[in-house]
């Protein structure tokens, strides 16, 4: 029985596709699998942010009576007994002379506000086109702010989920643009070679030597102030893509230079196939797995670029919710001393970037058939 099982396992290994082999090697890496689960949870939370978040992340959903409010953690039990439903106490806030007119909270433990699930709330459009107004949770009276509120009374939990999705969208658009440019430019350079390859490589080297931050500062100086948030969103995504293609283009070129003289390419030429057909149907598919790995690895750099630009004021701005826009608030001295819950989005930003890095490293090792023999 054991011999038959081992024989089937060997047959499955030798008949498996490249994707199946990569997945089998990827599953053996615990860190990469944990990072993949975290990344999947963050992506889903961003995709379904309008449903998961209790309130509109813009000024329209703000709580004007709870500005710079601390996080509210629902409870099940207190000295008055336990409840099957999570609840919060009724809180009143007033300015106090003893604290230099800062907000002072008074908690009334005799008045409970109970949390409800699948409640009607602010209208939204899931994925941008599915209308709805049902939210995962809410309160029977008043608001609940799991991560607190900012200076405008906007719910930080709702803003964080929407910010994750915005940053992922910017990263995705930037990666797609750079991916298409890299395949076209790297494919032409590697397939034809000669003087055309030399010219393309000079252009590639010139783009790689352009410093990113001064470039964005120059571009920001020419952005009209009347541009809408959506226009700035697409503009930043396009710029990130236009300067992010040289690395992948170099790898595509290197692979095509080594593969263009293989027998299957010569056979395709003799059959009358055009250069574009050979590149598209024969050369590029021969290292698809490596292209996918490069795409995953480039995601965190795109997210980091968007966050850095928005953080220094050159990228997205309010009312757009992105991780970079939210990180702008943590640099204020008042926040560092009194409103530490502003740092909660920083935790999600670190988790998102690290998850991409670990998944990318795991895929890179899984795509390399010699990675296990080197260890």
């Amino acid at each position: 029985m054991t011999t038959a099982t081992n024989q089937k396992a060997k047959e499955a290994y030798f008949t498996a596709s490249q994707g199946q082999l990569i997945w089998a090697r990827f599953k053996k890496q615990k860190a990469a699998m944990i990072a993949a689960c975290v990344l999947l949870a963050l992506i889903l939370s961003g995709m379904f942010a309008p449903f998961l978040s209790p309130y509109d992340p813009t000024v329209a959903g703000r709580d004007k009576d709870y500005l710079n409010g601390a996080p509210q953690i629902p409870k099940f039990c207190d000295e008055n007994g336990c409840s099957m439903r999570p609840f919060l106490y009724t809180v009143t806030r007033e300015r106090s002379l003893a604290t230099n007119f800062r907000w002072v909270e008074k908690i009334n433990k005799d008045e409970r506000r109970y949390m409800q699930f699948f409640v009607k709330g602010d209208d939204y459009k899931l994925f941008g086109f599915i209308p709805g107004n049902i939210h995962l949770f809410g309160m029977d009276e008043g608001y609940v702010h799991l991560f607190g509120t900012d200076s405008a009374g906007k719910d930080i939990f709702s803003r964080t989920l929407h910010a994750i999705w915005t940053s992922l969208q910017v990263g995705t658009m930037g990666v797609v643009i750079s991916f298409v440019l890299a395949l076209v430019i790297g494919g032409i350079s590697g397939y034809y070679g000669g003087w055309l390859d030399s010219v393309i490589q000079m252009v590639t080297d010139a783009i790689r030597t352009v410093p990113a931050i001064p470039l964005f500062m120059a571009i920001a100086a020419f952005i009209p102030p009347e541009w809408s948030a959506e226009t700035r969103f697409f503009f930043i995504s396009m710029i990130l893509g236009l300067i992010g293609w040289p690395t992948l283009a170099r790898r595509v070129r290197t692979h095509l230079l080594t593969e263009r003289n293989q027998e299957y390419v010569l056979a395709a030429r003799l059959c009358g196939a055009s250069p574009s057909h050979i590149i598209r149907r024969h050369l590029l598919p021969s290292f698809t797995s490596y292209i996918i790995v490069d795409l995953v690895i480039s995601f965190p750099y795109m997210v980091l670029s968007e966050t850095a630009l928005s953080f220094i004021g050159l990228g997205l701005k309010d009312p757009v919710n992105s991780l970079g826009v939210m990180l702008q608030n943590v640099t204020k001295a008042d926040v560092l001393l009194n409103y530490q819950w502003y740092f909660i989005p920083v935790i999600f930003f670190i988790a998102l970037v690290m998850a991409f890095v670990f998944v990318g490293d795991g895929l890179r090792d899984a795509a390399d058939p010699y990675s296990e023999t080197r260890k």
Side-chain angles (χ1 to χ4, degrees):
M1 185 69 178
T2 305
T3 305
T5 304
N6 293 335
Q7 186 65 26
K8 289 183 178 179
K10 290 181 179 180
E11 292 179 359
Y13 177 81
F14 288 111
T15 58
S17 63
Q18 189 177 26
Q20 291 173 331
L21 293 175
I22 292 175
W23 173 241
R25 288 193 289 263
F26 182 80
K27 289 191 297 183
K28 296 179 181 179
Q29 305 180 54
K30 294 182 180 180
M33 286 297 295
I34 295 174
C37 294
V38 173
L39 181 59
L40 180 61
L42 290 174
I43 293 175
L44 291 177
S45 65
M47 291 178 61
F48 295 95
F51 167 71
L52 297 175
S53 56
Y55 310 113
D56 191 319
T58 63
V59 177
R62 76 189 189 102
D63 184 357
K64 65 180 186 304
D65 297 324
Y66 200 64
L67 308 181
N68 284 323
Q72 299 173 326
I73 308 301
K75 301 180 179 180
F76 287 93
C77 295
D78 62 0
E79 59 270 18
N80 296 325
C82 296
S83 171
M84 295 295 293
R85 291 189 297 167
F87 63 87
L88 293 172
Y89 298 124
T90 300
V91 178
T92 58
R93 309 178 80 207
E94 60 183 19
R95 301 282 187 177
S96 174
L97 181 62
T99 59
N100 296 324
F101 295 98
R102 294 189 181 278
W103 289 108
V104 175
E105 296 181 355
K106 291 185 178 181
I107 301 176
N108 186 353
K109 295 186 177 181
D110 295 327
E111 293 185 12
R112 291 180 175 180
R113 297 183 295 119
Y114 290 94
M115 181 178 287
Q116 297 177 337
F117 296 94
F118 302 102
V119 297
K120 289 186 177 182
D122 299 320
D123 294 331
Y124 59 82
K125 288 187 177 181
L126 195 64
F127 308 122
F129 61 90
I130 302 178
N133 61 358
I134 302 298
H135 298 262
L136 179 62
F137 63 92
M139 300 299 293
D140 57 354
E141 295 180 9
Y143 293 81
V144 55
H145 303 290
L146 298 181
F147 293 171
T149 61
D150 59 14
S151 58
K154 293 181 287 187
D155 183 55
I156 294 181
F157 177 78
S158 301
R159 293 194 67 194
T160 301
L161 296 185
H162 285 79
I164 292 173
W165 184 235
T166 301
S167 296
L168 287 174
Q169 285 180 303
V170 173
T172 300
M173 292 186 62
V175 166
V176 169
I177 294 174
S178 64
F179 171 70
V180 173
L181 289 175
L183 291 186
V184 174
I185 298 175
I188 294 175
S189 178
Y191 183 80
Y192 288 102
W195 68 269
L196 184 59
D197 177 40
S198 301
V199 172
I200 292 177
Q201 292 313 303
M202 284 191 293
V203 174
T204 302
D205 291 336
I207 294 177
R208 293 185 65 180
T209 56
V210 174
I213 297 300
L215 173 64
F216 282 114
M217 294 178 66
I219 293 174
F222 291 96
I223 294 180
E226 64 270 11
W227 275 15
S228 64
E230 292 79 8
T231 305
R232 294 179 69 93
F233 173 88
F234 287 107
F235 185 75
I236 293 298
S237 302
M238 185 166 35
I239 294 299
L240 290 176
L242 290 175
I243 67 173
W245 60 266
T247 302
L248 181 57
R250 276 288 183 88
R251 294 176 182 173
V252 173
R253 167 189 173 269
T254 302
H255 181 82
L256 264 63
L257 283 174
T258 58
E259 292 291 320
R260 64 178 183 174
N261 294 323
Q262 296 294 326
E263 293 181 355
Y264 68 93
V265 178
L266 297 177
R269 288 176 180 171
L270 293 175
C271 292
S274 64
S276 61
H277 178 85
I278 294 174
I279 296 174
R280 187 179 67 255
R281 297 298 300 273
H282 299 287
L283 291 174
L284 292 182
S286 64
F287 67 120
T288 304
S289 59
Y290 296 98
I291 295 176
I292 295 174
V293 171
D294 281 328
L295 287 178
V296 176
I297 292 177
S298 62
F299 254 99
Y301 297 106
M302 288 293 179
V303 175
L304 279 171
S305 299
E306 181 278 322
T307 303
L309 289 173
S310 299
F311 178 73
I312 62 179
L314 302 179
L316 303 176
K317 297 182 180 181
D318 281 325
V320 177
N321 289 291
S322 76
L323 292 174
V325 172
M326 298 192 69
L327 292 182
Q328 290 178 357
N329 298 321
V330 303
T331 59
K332 302 176 183 177
D334 195 33
V335 170
L336 297 173
L337 295 174
N338 303 294
Y339 310 123
Q340 290 79 15
W341 53 89
Y342 276 56
F343 285 89
I344 295 178
V346 178
I347 300 174
F348 284 83
F349 168 69
I350 295 174
L352 179 64
V353 173
M354 293 303 295
F356 267 120
V357 170
F358 277 101
V359 170
D361 288 342
L363 284 174
R364 182 177 56 193
D365 293 339
D368 185 0
Y370 303 104
S371 60
E372 295 182 357
T373 61
R374 294 171 184 165
K375 298 180 180 179

